[in-house]
Amino acid sequence: MDFAWTSEQEQLRDTVAQFLEARCPTTHTREFMDSELGYDRSLWVALGRDMGLGGIHAPEEFGGAGLSYAETCAVLEQMGRALYSGPYFSSNVLAVNALLVGDSSQSQELSHDVVTCVHSSTVAFIEKSVRWDLKELECSEHDGRINGQKSFVLNGSGTDIVLVIARCRSGSGFGLYAVQEDSVGLSNETIRSLDLTRRLTRITLENVEASKLAEWNESKHQEFLDLALIALANEMAGGAQRMLDSALEYASTRVQFGRTIGSLQAIKHKCSEMLLNIELARSAAFCAARSVSDASERTKMASMAKAMASDAYMKVAAECIQIHGGIGFTWENDTHLWYRRAKSSEVYLGDAPYHRELYLQASGV
């Protein structure tokens, strides 16, 4: 397998990086992370609609560009590097993926509005048990009404449409349902979390009217989870790279005992280990992005990518703070924002030991 981006993908990465550097500096993120939404909606619209990034991997009949999942992952890597706080991951990745996996005329119709950022969306699939597999699902639908509670919903507060995965009490199996954010009986509560730049919400549904978009089953759910893990792993690789860049920049300017600390062997070794971890994680995430069309390999590669990205991001973020010294722990320094994202992403959809176990199981070990 070729482990290098194509020239077109490199151009896409550079374009997104330049846009985010100009429009989404850390000062901008800090400004909006305490706002009601937690992000700048106009910036999200500019990325999704104006730049055409809203549905890169979605087929044209779903309103997308019809490119591969690798292009979406290339964009997410740069968003992770910039610590982008908007709903691109929740709406243009998770929600779009759910609609694509559902693959029905109803989901196709809705996807056009989500892809073009007319409506923001998110997927509610984790429940109070903090599990995300279908067998643990308690939220249920009966006669077009949903009852239950969903936890850890990304950007769930203020989103336009919530896609809910629920049991079908009026039929059999499971379904993907669309719920309007202002529906009677729907309430949400922001969950206090470590990551200040990515909101998590607890959504309660009490006899809420819902529109069924598609049938749902174990196979579809696994595909949805695999795609989410691969996307998250690529975003984490980008964040880890930013931490290395920050550490190198500080080490090359901080003078101690008459010399820059970057010239000290101990710091050189730290930075070398950071680079090694990042390259391993990036290669695994890249390989996983290329494997989405092969169901037999996708699940294994998704777990491997998430495990390696989780380890790498946490190690690199912690080492970055150590290299910065005392200033790395202060509120004024931006390093802690990436550390918070690293920890939040590490445990979201399973930590490294959990996914190493899944990889071994999928490999028949």
Side-chain angles (χ1 to χ4, degrees), residues 9 16 29 36 40 125 142 148 152 211 233 248 253 258 277 310-311 313 331-332 341 358:
Q9 290 167 344
V16 175
T29 301
E36 184 178 355
D40 181 359
F125 61 99
H142 182 70
F152 305 104
S211 302
L248 292 174
T253 56
N277 282 303
S310 295
D311 283 340
Y313 201 177
W331 176 260
E332 291 74 18
R341 175 65 68 85
L358 289 185

Side-chain angles (χ1 to χ4, degrees), residues 38-63:
Y39 64 90
D40 181 359
R41 188 177 177 101
S42 65
L43 178 59
W44 170 65
V45 172
L47 279 164
R49 187 186 305 169
D50 302 340
M51 293 190 66
L53 303 179
I56 301 176
H57 64 287
E60 293 183 5
E61 58 268 25
F62 279 79

Side-chain angles (χ1 to χ4, degrees), residues 24 27 34 46 72 151 261 287 313:
C24 189
T27 52
D34 291 326
T72 295
S151 294
I261 62 172
C287 186
Y313 201 177

Side-chain angles (χ1 to χ4, degrees), residues 113-126:
D113 287 343
V114 176
V115 165
T116 56
C117 298
V118 173
H119 295 306
S120 61
S121 185
T122 189
V123 185
F125 61 99
I126 303 176

Side-chain angles (χ1 to χ4, degrees), residues 296-301 303 355-365:
S296 62
E297 289 294 315
R298 186 187 60 233
T299 299
K300 289 194 300 183
M301 298 306 299
S303 286
H355 280 289
R356 280 194 284 268
E357 176 66 24
L358 289 185
Y359 177 81
L360 292 175
Q361 291 177 3
S363 300
V365 177

Side-chain angles (χ1 to χ4, degrees), residues 125-133 135-137 354:
F125 61 99
I126 303 176
E127 300 198 351
K128 60 183 179 181
S129 62
V130 199
R131 296 293 299 271
W132 39 86
D133 46 358
K135 64 183 180 182
E136 300 289 338
L137 219 58
Y354 171 80

